[in-house]
Amino acid sequence: MANTSTITIRPLLVSDEARWRDLFREYREFYLLPESEAVVSTAWGWMMDPRHECNGLVAESNETVVGFAHHRRYSSPYTATTGIFLDDLFTVPAARGQGVGRALINRLTDMAASEGRAAVQWVTAEDNLQAQALYGTLASRTKWVTYEVQLTSQ
């Protein structure tokens, strides 16, 4: 479906909405999250709001969006540096292993470098071994463990 010579990485556009919604639903399904059009619509709104911290890139192959990367800038007080955090990365199953995820991460790395930032960081599920195989070729695995407090009132 895709190869690195035909992959174009570009910002998420308003015209991508229908395709992005389909891919974002697939992404949520992959992580066994409950169906929620409210979540999908909220995330889309964030991506389209220039004042919101969340941004999106898409990967196109043969004029079809085959993946996305949601990201945001962050500041790290303990290192006094800034970086880009990759929140979500998704590639359609038919295009996996064909350079789409690598191209999206490379674009984020290029963006961070051009902005004078220190790093690109992300987390993934410990059982997402296919993604980790790619990530291990692009970055160093850290020793940090993630904790999260789930709040019931949102």
Side-chain angles (χ1 to χ4, degrees):
M1 170 170 246
N3 67 55
T4 54
S5 64
T6 64
I7 298 168
T8 302
I9 307 300
R10 62 169 176 76
L12 181 65
L13 303 172
V14 171
S15 58
D16 295 320
E17 182 175 4
R19 179 67 174 158
W20 177 89
R21 284 177 176 270
D22 288 343
L23 296 183
F24 192 56
R25 288 181 196 109
E26 284 185 57
Y27 172 78
R28 290 179 47 78
E29 184 178 311
F30 176 84
Y31 280 109
L32 305 175
L33 296 167
E35 289 184 29
S36 173
E37 285 308 303
V39 168
V40 174
S41 292
T42 296
W44 176 255
W46 290 349
M47 298 298 156
M48 293 296 105
D49 182 350
R51 296 165 302 185
H52 199 277
E53 64 185 358
C54 291
N55 296 287
L57 295 173
V58 295
E60 269 187 331
S61 179
N62 301 318
E63 299 181 14
T64 300
V65 173
V66 296
F68 63 74
H70 300 152
H71 59 92
R72 56 193 155 87
R73 274 75 179 172
Y74 70 89
S75 298
S76 176
Y78 89 103
T79 61
T81 61
T82 61
I84 294 177
F85 191 83
L86 170 59
D87 284 294
D88 308 307
L89 180 71
F90 182 75
T91 301
V92 296
R96 290 187 186 146
Q98 297 181 33
V100 175
R102 179 180 302 278
L104 285 161
I105 292 171
N106 284 342
R107 174 59 60 87
L108 290 173
T109 301
D110 291 345
M111 288 168 51
S114 71
E115 295 172 11
R117 297 181 186 278
V120 175
Q121 294 180 340
W122 63 93
V123 297
T124 192
E126 67 181 346
D127 63 349
N128 192 346
L129 301 179
Q130 184 176 12
Q132 290 176 47
L134 167 64
Y135 300 159
T137 68
L138 295 169
S140 299
R141 185 175 177 147
T142 71
K143 296 179 182 180
W144 293 97
V145 176
T146 303
Y147 290 87
E148 181 175 80
V149 174
Q150 289 288 323
L151 305 176
T152 56
S153 61
Q154 290 253 354

